[in-house]
Amino acid sequence: MVTKQTVKDIHALSQKKHRDARKCFVAEGPKVVADLLPLLPCESLYATTEFLHRLPSALLQHVDNVEEVDAKTINRLSLLCTPRDALAVFYKPEAISVNQLNRLPEEQLCLALDGVQDPGNMGTIVRIADWFGIEHIFASHTTADVFAPKVVQATMGAVGRVKVHYVDLPQYIEGISDHVPVFGTFLDGDDMYAHELSANGLIVMGNEGKGVSENVASLINRRLYIPPYPQGRDTSESLNVAVATAIVCSEFRRRI
């Protein structure tokens, strides 16, 4: 039964401190909820009759509590401007040990986000990582929370496949092997299309306005530049960070 306390508890998850305390987050909409159900354990699912009838029963095996509700109740529970047929509270993924995290860029290609703050950009980057088979993102503590409602919606379910680890980014980069390539995008970098790229390493993307911070930039050993076309033509000052991430990831994967 959905009570006033239920509504209050779900609305509290719009705030990071409550998400951290409960180790839970909210996902909304038929596609996002259905995509996450086989990937993450679910504390509660609130959905209309129509949604539940369309949902394969096997997806409900790992849901602790299922409540069939009407559209009016979904509206009361929702954190969005345009509520949909389903809302679910999922448990956050389990954390990975520091030793395991340090080895990941040695074995595979990973992303690092240095102060990406826009929820839309953050969610889109997670979705881009998922598309290009990048399973781990290391985010500075100034980066938007991947479990915030707007970010979760923007990931379109990719948050269930891509693991985002919040770390002290300079300290993390210093902790990985000296042999691991650490790439970053800069206006004074080398032409990405003429530069040697690798199947492993760390790609650092910076803040929307300030780019990569000085502390992190000093640890990057491969500076890349996405050249405009044609060379010398007047153009925009820079690319949106999510767009730049898509271009860089695409080129890395194309080379493999």
Side-chain angles (χ1 to χ4, degrees):
M1 179 180 176
V2 175
T3 64
K4 288 183 179 179
Q5 188 61 47
T6 306
V7 176
K8 183 178 179 181
D9 290 343
I10 288 176
H11 285 192
L13 293 174
S14 65
Q15 298 179 45
K16 187 177 185 301
K17 65 179 181 180
H18 293 296
R19 293 194 295 272
D20 290 345
R22 288 181 54 188
K23 299 182 179 180
C24 291
F25 69 96
V26 174
E28 297 193 51
K31 177 167 178 28
V32 176
V33 170
D35 284 352
L36 287 176
L37 281 173
L39 301 173
L40 295 173
C42 180
E43 178 195 82
S44 300
L45 170 63
Y46 305 91
T48 60
T49 303
E50 292 77 12
F51 175 80
L52 291 174
H53 282 176
R54 294 195 307 268
L55 194 70
S57 57
L59 292 183
L60 298 177
Q61 292 179 357
H62 303 294
V63 182
D64 295 345
N65 175 53
V66 179
E67 301 232 16
E68 189 172 326
V69 297
D70 56 21
K72 185 177 179 180
T73 303
I74 292 284
N75 289 348
R76 288 173 56 213
L77 294 169
S78 179
L79 304 177
L80 302 178
C81 296
T82 53
R84 302 290 299 278
D85 290 347
L87 178 150
V89 177
F90 287 95
Y91 295 105
K92 290 184 182 183
E94 298 260 334
I96 297 176
S97 72
V98 174
N99 288 339
Q100 288 177 292
L101 293 180
N102 287 345
R103 289 198 300 269
L104 288 171
E106 297 180 40
E107 304 163 353
Q108 58 190 273
L109 192 63
C110 303
L111 280 176
L113 304 181
D114 185 18
V116 173
Q117 295 178 342
D118 181 80
N121 284 337
M122 180 65 183
T124 301
I125 289 171
V126 174
R127 194 174 174 186
I128 289 165
D130 188 32
W131 182 263
F132 288 107
I134 295 173
E135 299 176 339
H136 297 275
I137 295 176
F138 299 93
S140 68
H141 294 300
T142 56
T143 295
D145 182 13
V146 72
F147 298 111
K150 288 183 180 179
V151 179
V152 172
Q153 296 310 116
T155 71
M156 293 302 291
V159 70
R161 286 180 290 271
V162 178
K163 305 296 185 295
V164 180
H165 314 282
Y166 287 86
V167 296
D168 179 318
L169 201 51
Q171 185 177 30
Y172 174 74
I173 295 173
E174 288 178 336
I176 63 180
S177 170
D178 293 337
H179 302 295
V180 173
V182 180
F183 300 89
T185 54
F186 301 88
L187 293 176
D188 63 350
D190 298 324
D191 184 340
M192 178 180 69
Y193 300 111
H195 200 286
E196 183 179 352
L197 305 180
S198 61
N200 71 310
L202 195 63
I203 304 171
V204 181
M205 306 302 296
N207 172 267
E208 289 87 348
K210 300 176 183 177
V212 179
S213 64
E214 289 184 14
N215 288 345
V216 173
S218 66
L219 300 170
I220 290 172
N221 52 38
R222 309 283 195 283
R223 296 170 70 93
L224 303 178
Y225 171 59
I226 304 171
Y229 183 86
Q231 290 283 359
R233 174 180 173 272
D234 287 339
T235 186
S236 302
E237 183 180 346
S238 62
L239 288 169
N240 168 275
V241 64
V243 172
T245 302
I247 293 170
V248 172
C249 290
S250 178
E251 182 61 14
F252 269 78
R253 290 313 196 198
R254 187 187 71 83
R255 300 282 188 94
I256 295 177

